[in-house]
Amino acid sequence: MLLFFRNLSLRKKLIVTSITCLILPTIIMLYITNDFSQRIIREHSLESSKQILQNVQVQMNKVIEEMVAVSNTIQFDSELKSSLQGKSDPLLSKLVTTQLEQLVSDKPNMQLTLLMEDGRYFSDYSYYEFEPSNFREQSWFKDLSQTSALDTLFLGVQPNYLKSQVAENPYVIMTARVLTDNSSRPFAYLIVSRTENTFSDIYDKFSEEIFLLDNNSQILSYRDKGCIGDNFLDLIKKGVVESPEIISLKGKTHLYVSIPLRHAGWNLVSLAPYEQLTDKLNNISRSGLVLQVLFVVGFIIILTYLLQKFTKPIQVLGEVALKVEAGDIEVRSNIRGRDEVGRLGRAFDEMLDRIIQMLEQVKLEQQLKRKAEIDMLHAQIHPHFLFNVLSSVRLKLLMKDDHQNAELVGSLSTLLRSTVSSQQEFVSLLAEIDMAKQYMDLMNFTMRHPVVFHIDVNSELLLETVPRFILQPIIENAYKHGFSRKSGCITINVEKFGDNLLISVKDNGLGIDSETMSILQERLLLNKKQIIEESAHNGSYKISGIGLFNVYERLKLIYGDRFQMTIQSVYNQGANIVLTLPISTMENE
């Protein structure tokens, strides 16, 4: 963080420091205020949730007590017990069924089933809906047979066994009880069930998420029927939870509150959306915070605006300095004024003007120097009489049918003409390649070991313009250092790659040793500015030197960073020189 602050500009340091000194005390104050507000809001929300859950608790206890009361009524109704213990009789069965229906007539969604020890059964529902004897096959029925007559076995939530109700009421909550005779021997089993909707309807009107859980935290009743039977702790993804507590469910914050029911160790759990509970109180608290923040933000905006306005000249001067560092010395700050920054801006602009004047002077001197050196080279041999003599020699050789020597003299004449006579700095690629051919013909005549050359150029590229004498120095270097002791092959390849022209001169001669290669690679790192400075200040080095340096520095001065030269060589295996020139601007250089 400290390093980041150090790297900021002076302007940004002033702005950041001022805003920090304002924001830090404000944040501390807002944090303390918000903390106290949240505590008060939480206590209020907790009390509200407890009141709702207690209301649900009362109604839940009533529903369960109705189920227990029906069991007690049947257990202690001597007339009904006498009817049940009588012999099997259709009229008796009808009487028992009627009594069962009367018991649940004022209790919605309650179903009764009596299973006799002798295999008989009675119920207040149709046997087409369900065969009561199937209850004997349930896993809990063995536990029921071992239960005391005074105890009620709470079976929890079970799938609804009545076919007609499954669609609307997929689950029921069941209790079971053993009925005993006067000698305390079991003679029947009573199963009481109520649809789960009877329980969920109690809390549906509330916005809280309310669950009915058994003593193992299994969900007995909940709005989402798909969760019934699941473990509540798995739903909230917590191993242990204490009431009250703030927990997260489905990405939202809830207030967890739990209170026990009167029977079976069951519990009611409420998950109230904390945001909804605290919405009104939060709105009041939030309004106060928003007002404070707005005042602070407004002050920060005004402060930032004033600081930016006062430090704008410094920023502009810094941006101009970066552009100058990147090489754009034409840019100006145009900062004027009577203060220190105004005087600094004016002095900076004047300094750039003087630098441009000096660079123009250096550039002019270099151009004059190059032209003088080329003129001196041209003036070494007067061309006119030399061309006439060479033409006469070639004619006499042809008259004597010495075509080989006549062709050689013609190549020499053509090479000298292109070297001395033309004043153009740029020529077509075709002319440059022709001159390279003539030069190689002459070199093969003078060399002890002739060299074969191959040229691979797309005909569409032959009219592209390139600077003169960029191939001949490279070929001369190959003859001089690569083929002084053996013959070989030179291949010239020209391709178009995007907006660039790739010219490759490859030979299979001696190659370049590692020491010379290191020197070459170091020289190829020079940019245009460094070449000009070296030429201007180092009298021992001349740009007109023969070889790869000459080609590289000439093209670098012409094209700048748009030109690249790469040298690939393995000693005793040859070398490959690749020139990359821009096509689109060559004719305008």
Side-chain angles (χ1 to χ4, degrees), residues 436 440 454-457 471 475 490-494 503-505:
M440 285 188 280
H454 299 288
I455 298 175
D456 183 12
V457 183
L471 296 179
I475 295 172
I490 295 178
T491 302
I492 300 175
N493 178 269
V494 183
I503 303 175
S504 169
V505 181

Side-chain angles (χ1 to χ4, degrees), residues 43-76:
E43 292 176 0
H44 180 273
S45 302
L46 178 61
E47 186 62 30
S48 175
S49 294
K50 282 184 176 180
Q51 290 178 1
I52 293 173
L53 206 56
Q54 287 170 356
N55 186 14
V56 175
Q57 179 192 38
V58 171
Q59 298 182 61
M60 286 277 190
N61 282 331
K62 181 180 178 181
V63 171
I64 297 175
E65 285 171 359
E66 286 179 349
M67 299 173 67
V68 175
V70 169
S71 299
N72 291 334
T73 299
I74 296 175
Q75 172 70 24
F76 298 106

Side-chain angles (χ1 to χ4, degrees), residues 116-129:
M116 307 301 294
E117 280 286 349
D118 58 8
R120 291 179 298 156
Y121 47 79
F122 306 92
S123 71
D124 64 336
Y125 54 84
S126 171
Y127 297 152
Y128 293 101
E129 292 280 337

